[in-house]
């Protein structure tokens, strides 16, 4: 998990379905033995859909591997929180370490996958998710280290802004969190891979065509010849 | 060897106006509550604090901010503190944001005698501006400086009278690394024990880093975001 400038919002029922679809699709990318760091908000939901029969260990950058569920009411421990400052629990196999060790493993490429939210992503794989000029700056937390160090960066976000404007752009307009570091973008509309040739649309959500996705995406998408329906 | 002090007030007797202080903790977890309280009471000003966060408005470093005692803060995320936002906008506080891993590594390097290092974090972002960039093995890195301070305020769970420390769960966070990077590391503990009572293999921070230690009291250990689930029936 990571501190970020975006505040998770309480989702409406329809939004919840969208978020569930994104979380479930990303969870399908998990593999046995993965060490994974999930950002705050939508990315956190991925932990709810780990495929049966595989072991995935979640990392919290404040110094923990093996994040458990929220504690049962009345058993909260102030010494045990995740990077979102929420009370959590241990699981068998949990370990603790310092912030320096935590980022050594992140920067050192030991984290297989990080899932983060975004304000903007572009066709070069640039990510902006920490700062809006003119607004109060909260800080990047661990996001810049995560995108620089994790083996794979998946962006989990809604396809457009609340006003319906594209968040997937030709070039990010906001200050970057990382340059050319995004591998995959998953939204409620599409599963898109960042390639040297551009954005490759591999899957569209049920009921949507490639043209529907393109309509709300700024750069021209390369449509996979094996375009599939996104499975939630 | 006598590192034991009776209380926080005595342990910070020589911390003066303008001091730079590393303050352990992540959010409100593992923060040196007694040392912060004593610093508020002492009223010293123009402090530079280095801490991942800046507390909340009425707890942790927020108490020092609210009192106007901090001139500059170096951290990675300060979103939980509205006083800080207001002060930065009003020009009353200088704020330096570092990526969290860069902050941790700057402190580690400072403590380990390394004046600078190259990291991939922040390449191609605002963080890289005015920093030396070099390519190693085909990848770009930026140079960051090691970070040291006059004082470190550390919170440990247990410590012995020689300053050997044990931390508890995620309250460890920045504490062990900050303990290495100050001229004078001051530690408050929940349990101060006799030398020999901590297993040699169990110690997280060897006492060589610690100058002063005292038994903390009246811990509030406030929870920032209480998240729970219902017990299963």
């Amino acid at each position: 998990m990571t501190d970020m400038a975006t505040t998770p919002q309480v989702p409406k029922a329809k939004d919840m379905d969208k978020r569930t679809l994104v979380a479930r699709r990303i969870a399908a990318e998990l593999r046995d033995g993965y060490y994974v760091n999930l950002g705050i908000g939508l990315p956190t939901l991925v932990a709810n859909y780990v495929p049966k029969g595989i072991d995935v260990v979640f990392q919290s950058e404040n110094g923990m591997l093996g994040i458990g569920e929220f504690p049962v009411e009345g058993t909260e421990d102030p010494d045990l929180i995740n990077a979102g400052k929420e009370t959590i629990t241990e699981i068998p196999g949990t370990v603790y370490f310092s912030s320096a060790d935590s980022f050594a493993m992140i920067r050192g490429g030991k984290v297989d996958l990080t899932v983060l939210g975004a304000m903007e992503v572009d066709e070069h794989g640039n990510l902006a998710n920490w700062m809006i000029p003119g607004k109060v700056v909260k800080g990047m937390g661990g996001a810049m280290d995560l995108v620089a160090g994790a083996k794979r960066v998946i962006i989990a976000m809604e396809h457009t802004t609340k006003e319906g404007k594209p968040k997937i752009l030709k070039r990010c307009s906001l200050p970057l969190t990382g340059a050319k570091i995004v591998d995959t973008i998953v939204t409620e509309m599409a599963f898109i891979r960042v390639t040297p040739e551009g954005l490759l649309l591999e899957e569209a959500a049920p009921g949507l065509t490639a043209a529907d996705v393109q309509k709300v995406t700024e750069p021209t998408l390369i449509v996979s010849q094996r375009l599939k329906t996104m499975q939630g | 060897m006598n590192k034991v002090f009776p209380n926080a007030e005595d342990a910070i007797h020589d911390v003066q106006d303008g001091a730079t202080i590393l303050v352990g903790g992540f959010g409100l977890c593992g923060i040196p509550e007694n040392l912060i309280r004593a610093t508020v009471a002492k009223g010293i000003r123009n402090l530079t604090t280095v801490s991942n966060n800046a507390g909340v408005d009425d707890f942790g470093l927020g108490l020092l901010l609210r009192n106007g005692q901090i001139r500059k803060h170096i951290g990675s995320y300060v979103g939980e503190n509205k006083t800080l936002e207001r002060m930065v906008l009003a020009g009353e506080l200088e704020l330096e944001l570092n990526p969290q891993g860069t902050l941790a590594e700057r402190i580690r390097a400072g403590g380990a005698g390394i004046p600078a290092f190259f990291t991939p974090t922040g390449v191609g972002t605002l963080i890289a501006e005015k920093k030396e960039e070099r390519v190693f093995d085909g990848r770009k890195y930026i140079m960051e400086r090691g970070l040291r301070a006059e004082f470190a305020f550390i919170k440990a769970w247990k410590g012995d009278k020689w300053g050997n420390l044990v931390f508890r769960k995620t309250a460890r966070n920045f504490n062990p690394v900050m303990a290495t990077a100050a001229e004078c590391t001051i530690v408050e503990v929940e349990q101060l024990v006799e030398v020999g009572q901590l297993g040699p293999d169990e110690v997280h921070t060897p006492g060589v880093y610690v100058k002063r230690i005292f038994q903390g009291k009246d811990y509030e250990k406030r929870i920032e975001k209480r998240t729970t689930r219902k017990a299963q029936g």
Side-chain angles (χ1 to χ4, degrees):
Chain A
M1 307 220 175
T2 184
D3 281 321
M4 277 196 305
T6 48
T7 310
Q9 311 206 327
V10 180
K12 298 180 193 115
K14 196 175 136 206
D15 289 346
M16 187 60 106
D17 296 342
K18 284 186 194 174
R19 291 158 64 93
T20 303
L21 175 67
V22 173
R24 291 175 77 111
R25 178 61 192 86
I26 293 172
E29 298 291 298
L30 299 172
R31 297 292 177 268
D32 188 42
Y34 263 23
Y35 289 87
V36 177
N37 184 299
L38 301 176
I40 291 168
L42 172 51
T44 310
L45 300 179
V46 173
N48 299 335
Y49 305 105
V50 178
K52 291 237 174 338
I54 69 169
D55 291 320
V56 173
V57 179
F58 291 102
Q59 202 254 17
S60 192
E61 71 262 22
N62 53 323
M64 179 184 195
L65 277 167
I67 305 175
E69 293 179 85
F70 289 148
V72 170
E73 241 174 76
T75 67
E76 307 91 298
D77 183 343
D79 287 341
L80 183 44
I81 62 168
N82 63 22
K85 284 108 184 175
E86 298 168 331
T87 46
I88 48 166
T89 57
E90 293 174 354
I91 58 169
T94 289
V95 286
Y96 302 106
F97 35 85
S98 75
S99 302
D101 287 332
S102 178
F103 283 95
M105 66 182 74
I106 289 169
R107 207 186 301 100
K110 309 301 188 290
V111 171
D112 296 287
L113 170 66
T114 188
V115 184
L116 297 172
M119 298 175 190
E120 297 175 348
V121 196
D122 70 26
E123 63 180 332
H124 310 285
N126 296 322
L127 167 67
N129 74 355
W130 75 284
M131 179 186 182
I132 300 174
K135 291 209 175 169
V136 174
V137 178
K138 293 171 186 270
M140 68 294 280
M144 286 192 180
D145 307 280
L146 279 161
V147 299
K151 282 189 197 150
R152 185 175 175 199
V153 177
I154 297 183
I155 298 305
M157 64 172 197
E158 297 201 6
H159 204 92
T160 59
T161 65
K162 285 198 189 73
E163 296 77 35
K165 297 212 176 88
K167 290 172 72 175
I168 304 175
L169 306 174
K170 286 180 179 164
R171 194 164 279 277
C172 289
S173 64
L174 296 169
L176 298 185
T177 306
K180 300 183 182 171
I181 39 72
V182 176
D183 297 287
T184 311
I185 306 163
V186 183
T187 74
E188 78 285 4
M189 297 184 76
F191 182 99
I192 296 168
R193 211 175 284 276
V194 181
T195 73
E197 291 74 39
L199 298 179
L200 179 66
L201 176 65
E202 295 193 347
E203 301 173 21
L208 296 182
T209 64
D212 293 328
V213 179
Q214 181 64 72
K215 216 175 290 175
V216 284
T217 307
E218 190 183 72
T220 305
L221 296 166
I222 305 163
V223 181
S224 168
Q225 297 190 330
R226 285 166 298 175
L227 182 69
K228 285 191 283 197
T229 301
M230 194 167 135
Q231 304 292 327
Chain B
M1 175 156 42
N2 185 14
K3 298 183 178 181
V4 179
F5 278 67
N7 53 47
E9 292 69 28
D10 287 348
I12 65 162
H13 65 90
D14 55 353
V15 183
Q16 307 284 352
D17 282 0
T20 299
I21 312 172
L22 305 169
V23 184
F26 181 96
L28 301 179
C29 181
I31 58 172
E33 294 184 22
N34 284 249
L35 287 162
I36 292 171
R37 263 200 311 262
T39 307
V40 171
K42 191 172 183 184
I44 46 175
R45 306 177 67 83
N46 288 320
L47 302 174
T48 296
T49 48
V50 181
S51 196
N52 189 57
N53 310 93
V56 293
D57 289 316
D58 62 346
F59 198 57
L61 281 186
L63 297 172
L64 284 169
L65 274 171
R66 198 170 64 174
N67 238 4
Q69 291 175 259
I70 302 178
R71 183 186 65 79
K72 179 179 179 181
H73 179 75
I74 303 175
S76 88
Y77 187 81
V78 293
E80 273 91 10
N81 194 308
K82 292 207 172 54
T83 309
L84 180 140
E85 288 184 11
R86 185 188 58 68
M87 291 177 74
V88 170
L89 290 174
E92 294 165 15
L93 176 80
E94 188 184 339
L95 175 65
E96 178 185 322
L97 290 168
N98 289 187
Q100 194 174 147
T102 294
L103 181 65
E105 189 63 12
R106 289 185 67 196
I107 298 164
R108 196 200 69 79
I114 295 171
F117 59 93
F118 284 89
T119 175
T121 301
V123 168
T125 75
L126 291 176
I127 293 303
E129 282 181 5
K130 295 182 188 154
K131 285 182 184 150
E132 184 179 338
E133 188 176 288
R134 282 188 55 185
V135 174
F136 295 96
D137 305 320
R139 189 173 181 197
K140 283 182 190 168
Y141 297 82
I142 54 172
M143 191 176 81
E144 296 281 2
R145 295 296 308 271
L147 184 56
R148 295 183 59 82
E150 295 166 81
F151 296 94
F153 287 0
I154 302 303
K155 157 75 199 318
W157 177 40
K158 289 196 269 189
D160 71 20
K161 293 181 172 177
W162 280 2
N164 295 310
L165 307 178
V166 177
F167 301 93
R168 184 171 179 274
K169 302 182 189 282
T170 56
R172 189 182 315 189
N173 57 61
F174 277 83
N175 281 298
V177 70
M178 286 183 168
T180 69
E183 306 306 319
C184 180
T185 291
I186 308 174
V187 183
E188 59 176 84
V189 292
E190 288 180 58
Q191 297 173 39
L192 183 61
V193 302
E194 294 299 327
V195 173
Q197 288 188 339
L198 299 175
D201 275 329
E202 143 192 34
V203 169
H204 297 128
T205 291
V208 67
Y209 296 111
V210 175
K211 286 279 198 298
R212 302 173 189 169
I213 188 164
F214 66 94
Q215 169 74 57
K217 59 177 186 185
D218 303 331
Y219 281 104
E220 177 178 339
K221 291 187 149 193
R222 192 186 294 185
I223 290 175
E224 207 163 332
K225 291 177 190 162
R226 190 178 297 274
T227 44
T228 58
R229 67 190 149 97
K230 292 260 183 287
Q232 281 173 349

